Amino acid sequence: MSGREYMLGNVAIARGIVEGAVDVVSGYPGTPSSEIVDTLASMNERDFYIEWSVNEKVAMEVAAGASMAGARSVVTMKHVGLNVAADPLMTLAYMGVKGGMVIIVADDPSCHSSQNEQDTRRYSVFSQIPCLEPSTPQQAKDMIPYAFELSEKYEIPVIFRSTTRISHGKSDIKLAPVRQKTGEIKFEKNPDRWVMVPKNARVRHPHLLSIQQDIRGEFEFSGWNELSIEAENNIGVIACGTAAVYAKEALDRLGITASFLKIGTYPIPEDSVRQLLAKTEQVIVIEELEPVIEDQCKVIARDVGFETEIFGKADGILPRTGEFNVDICMEGIARAFGIDSCECKPATQAMELPVRPPAMCPGCSHRGTFHVMKKVFGEDAVFPSDIGCYTLGIQHGTVDTTLCMGASISVASGIYDAGEKKPICCTIGDSTFFHTGINSLMNAIYNKSDITVLILDNRTTAMTGHQPNPGMGKTATYEPTVEVAFDKLCSAMGAEFVEVVDPYDMDATEDVLQRAKAYEGVSVVIAKRACVISAAREGIRYTPFMVDTNLCKGCRKCLKFGCPAIEFDEVSKKASINSMCSGCGLCVEICNFDAIMEVKK
Ligand code: SF4
Ligand code: SF4
């Protein structure tokens, strides 16, 4: 298939993976990267293997194994996932690959849906693994087949850095034909290469260093870097990623011309940087997040003895946090080059928008669990939590900590080990438990913590788009597979108090949590109820609820429950339930006046 198609950036990346004749794809969901595997997994015809792995480290190792056998492989994750996969990544740099291997990492400047905004390019510098960075979704698609070739040529994995704007932007994409598969898949024994005992690692480290110059040389002539020298002007702009597109528009809007270097590869094209510095007196480096290029440009300028002034983040002209846009670039360029332009003042917000804190969906079973948990353990108890929809429990006062995926149980243990006397009840989702919670629970049991662990099993990985996990009995392509039983798994790790509850049954949940709280040691409670969104997609419909205004006393207790379907009329001083009601019925148990009931059919 060729032609054009209007598509999401991540769908374009998925298309690039197919065009590059991939053999194996693995990944762990995380916004803004998830749609890449979702798109590939939903294809009707596929001549490659695909999986959601239990975490990024495992996904990286699956892709590495495939590559060792000569297959082209891709692993996808979001930026924080690369921390989880950093262990295999660093040694894979030494070991290298056989079949082309592309590590797709989606960064999230401005933390739209992340706990930090780290810059993946730092991992490229750290590991000495080359990195490619597109400026548009079209480039993102086109870069992937090249990334496979580059990886095979230098026998090293290649990092592909996307950002939220690339992954979630939409664009008209020119498609290319799908390449023919050529390589033979066959693992060949070669312990010197594939076994990183110290003797071999000592040989591979100099090898890794030795290929850097070749890779750098290749990038000097790469079409992913574009240099244009403006002979009439002595100012220059160096930019990368989507910031390069913003910077070009900013120059247009300011009505100025400048020499321009767009960088799409790491190591950066040093000759091009030198050429630009030689022709300019002032240069601004425009890049989102870390000053990776800026630092390297300063080193190049110093080594060569150029006097060019280099502006960017170190002098505070551009921010080191958050996403960029054309206004930010205009302001930075104007400040760097002393241009007075009223156009670069961002428009002021004429009207104050109402604050809308994120909330769990109407009918979310987590709301019931949190309600009972707070009732049983008390507001003063300690509630470590984790990454997932249930982090929104912060609105209910039931999320006291969120560090990273899988950390809630270990943090709970640490708080107990420190000598905290208040009850400690931590929460973790099903996918997150598989991701990195299992080790934490094992540690808590082994080291005799006295905590309650609530596994919120909503039968999916909800927050990233409802991807399957090992607790669902379905693979990435929705084929049936084994269903890991949480209760048996927890018991096998040595937990002696393990109970399963339905969070829609608040009385039974309360009874179990009371006993879990009283239990000395690690008590595990699995709150099992499908996410209402998944349930609705499967055609499960419950009867909605209503408020009988004759019985409603206007006490507002139901409002505090935080369900978006419950409203309050300030004139009549009565509660009501809107059309968002999903029929969970949890609010019935909240009202002391029996004013909430099922809508009569
Ligand atoms: S998506 Fe599912 S799990 Fe997440 S808040 Fe909504 S109902 Fe709850
Ligand atoms: S809790 Fe019951 S009585 Fe109180 S406002 Fe809500 S519906 Fe009315």
Side-chain angles (χ1 to χ4, degrees):
M1 183 179 69
S2 54
R4 305 189 76 91
E5 220 174 283
Y6 185 64
M7 52 175 75
L8 189 74
N10 276 344
V11 177
I13 292 171
R15 170 71 194 186
I17 292 170
V18 174
E19 287 180 6
V22 75
D23 298 296
V24 171
V25 179
S26 55
Y28 186 78
T31 310
S33 70
S34 311
E35 296 88 355
I36 302 169
V37 170
D38 282 342
T39 303
L40 294 169
S42 66
M43 287 171 58
N44 290 333
E45 284 177 31
R46 205 180 318 105
D47 63 350
F48 52 87
Y49 169 82
I50 188 159
E51 73 170 41
W52 280 122
S53 308
V54 292
N55 66 31
E56 296 85 357
K57 177 180 186 291
V58 173
M60 178 83 74
E61 291 157 357
V62 168
S67 170
M68 285 175 203
R72 284 192 166 183
S73 67
V74 162
V75 55
T76 76
M77 63 197 72
K78 68 184 290 181
H79 59 298
V80 286
L82 194 53
N83 301 330
V84 180
D87 195 10
L89 178 88
M90 298 306 288
T91 304
L92 200 53
Y94 282 31
M95 188 183 260
V97 297
K98 189 174 166 200
M101 176 173 167
V102 185
I103 301 163
I104 300 178
V105 189
D107 286 3
D108 188 16
S110 283
C111 297
H112 292 286
S113 53
S114 310
Q115 61 270 43
N116 70 35
E117 50 180 350
Q118 71 190 44
D119 191 325
T120 290
R121 298 174 303 162
R122 289 286 194 214
Y123 269 109
S124 166
V125 177
F126 186 24
S127 63
Q128 314 240 27
I129 291 176
C131 174
L132 299 174
E133 183 180 21
S135 289
T136 62
Q138 178 73 57
Q139 269 195 353
K141 181 198 76 72
D142 295 342
M143 262 182 178
I144 300 283
Y146 168 74
F148 282 127
E149 285 163 17
L150 183 75
S151 172
E152 282 164 6
K153 182 170 177 185
Y154 293 98
E155 297 195 333
I156 191 165
V158 172
I159 296 173
F160 176 94
R161 183 209 193 197
S162 182
T163 54
T164 308
R165 287 299 130 182
I166 295 286
S167 284
H168 285 171
K170 275 197 155 182
S171 170
D172 185 33
I173 302 287
K174 188 168 182 294
L175 306 179
V178 174
R179 287 162 209 225
Q180 291 297 314
K181 296 199 175 185
T182 48
E184 191 197 358
I185 312 291
K186 184 169 177 270
F187 179 78
E188 281 165 9
K189 289 181 191 289
N190 184 356
D192 290 349
R193 178 69 189 281
W194 303 129
V195 185
M196 276 305 105
V197 289
K199 164 175 99 58
N200 295 336
R202 276 185 225 115
V203 175
R204 293 299 295 182
H205 192 185
H207 169 77
L208 174 64
L209 297 173
S210 74
I211 60 173
Q212 296 302 311
Q213 202 49 39
D214 294 341
I215 295 171
R216 192 171 280 121
E218 165 127 6
F219 287 163
E220 291 295 347
F221 304 101
S222 159
W224 307 117
N225 300 311
E226 294 165 24
L227 174 66
S228 65
I229 299 289
E230 201 62 50
E232 303 300 309
N233 216 333
N234 60 4
I235 56 171
V237 174
I238 300 177
C240 64
T242 45
V245 180
Y246 304 146
K248 278 196 174 145
E249 192 177 329
L251 288 172
D252 279 353
R253 277 169 52 181
L254 286 166
I256 56 170
T257 53
S259 295
F260 200 100
L261 174 59
K262 183 182 90 68
I263 291 182
T265 68
Y266 305 87
I268 63 170
E270 292 185 2
D271 275 352
S272 299
V273 172
R274 272 189 285 269
Q275 284 180 54
L276 184 126
L277 294 180
K279 299 284 183 198
T280 49
E281 287 173 11
Q282 291 182 313
V283 165
I284 183 167
V285 182
I286 303 181
E287 56 193 322
E288 284 178 324
L289 300 182
E290 290 294 285
V292 174
I293 298 174
E294 182 182 329
D295 289 350
Q296 292 179 29
C297 288
K298 284 177 178 166
V299 170
I300 293 168
R302 191 200 56 206
D303 287 352
V304 182
F306 287 136
E307 297 290 321
T308 317
E309 274 187 285
I310 299 176
F311 302 103
K313 293 170 192 283
D315 45 27
I317 281 187
L318 288 167
R320 196 163 168 170
T321 59
E323 264 190 318
F324 282 6
N325 56 34
V326 179
D327 286 335
I328 290 173
C329 294
M330 278 176 73
E331 199 180 334
I333 293 168
R335 282 182 66 194
F337 303 142
I339 299 162
D340 187 24
S341 167
C342 55
E343 242 214 278
C344 48
K345 312 268 181 304
T348 47
Q349 193 85 44
M351 141 183 126
E352 203 57 28
L353 294 172
V355 182
R356 282 195 294 181
M360 287 179 275
C361 305
C364 179
S365 63
H366 299 336
R367 190 175 285 107
T369 309
F370 281 142
H371 179 79
V372 178
M373 186 174 111
K374 206 158 136 189
K375 186 172 172 192
V376 169
F377 284 84
E379 300 208 351
D380 224 22
V382 186
F383 299 122
S385 192
D386 226 294
I387 309 275
C389 287
Y390 46 90
T391 317
L392 300 172
I394 193 167
Q395 318 282 5
H396 299 253
T398 47
V399 173
D400 290 328
T401 71
T402 302
L403 175 61
C404 63
M405 287 281 280
S408 60
I409 306 175
S410 342
V411 166
S413 294
I415 291 171
Y416 170 76
D417 295 337
E420 176 61 62
K421 296 287 179 286
K422 290 176 194 156
I424 301 168
C425 178
C426 62
T427 45
I428 185 166
D430 44 347
S431 189
T432 311
F433 181 71
F434 291 126
H435 180 273
T436 29
I438 293 175
N439 283 334
S440 305
L441 180 62
M442 207 176 341
N443 183 67
I445 297 166
Y446 169 63
N447 287 305
K448 303 183 182 181
S449 291
D450 184 9
I451 58 174
T452 297
V453 177
L454 246 168
I455 301 175
L456 305 175
D457 177 13
N458 62 357
R459 323 296 301 138
T460 189
T461 315
M463 197 175 224
T464 49
H466 299 86
Q467 292 82 9
N469 67 51
M472 290 172 65
K474 288 172 192 155
T475 66
T477 52
Y478 283 80
E479 282 166 47
T481 183
V482 288
E483 183 178 323
V484 176
F486 287 99
D487 50 350
K488 288 188 186 152
L489 181 61
C490 297
S491 299
M493 284 194 272
E496 288 174 356
F497 185 110
V498 181
E499 299 226 14
V500 182
V501 296
D502 175 0
Y504 275 8
D505 185 342
M506 293 223 261
D507 288 340
T509 303
E510 185 173 337
D511 172 61
V512 171
L513 282 187
Q514 289 287 10
R515 288 190 284 111
K517 184 185 172 196
Y519 180 82
E520 210 172 305
V522 176
S523 50
V524 181
V525 179
I526 300 146
K528 184 173 174 180
R529 165 65 69 165
C531 159
V532 288
I533 304 292
S534 322
R537 281 182 190 157
E538 282 174 21
I540 299 169
R541 298 270 182 274
Y542 299 105
T543 311
F545 283 74
M546 57 170 274
V547 175
D548 182 335
T549 45
N550 293 321
L551 296 174
C552 176
K553 303 282 186 244
C555 69
R556 296 172 188 260
K557 194 173 171 213
C558 55
L559 276 188
K560 292 193 191 113
F561 193 48
C563 177
I566 304 177
E567 295 176 347
F568 196 79
D569 183 47
E570 291 299 342
V571 178
S572 64
K573 301 286 180 212
K574 304 280 182 187
S576 64
I577 294 177
N578 64 33
S579 60
M580 286 198 278
C581 178
S582 64
C584 69
L586 288 168
C587 53
V588 174
E589 306 200 28
I590 303 293
C591 179
N592 293 336
F593 303 96
D594 296 331
I596 302 178
M597 59 201 64
E598 275 190 354
V599 171
K600 290 186 189 70
K601 288 185 187 145

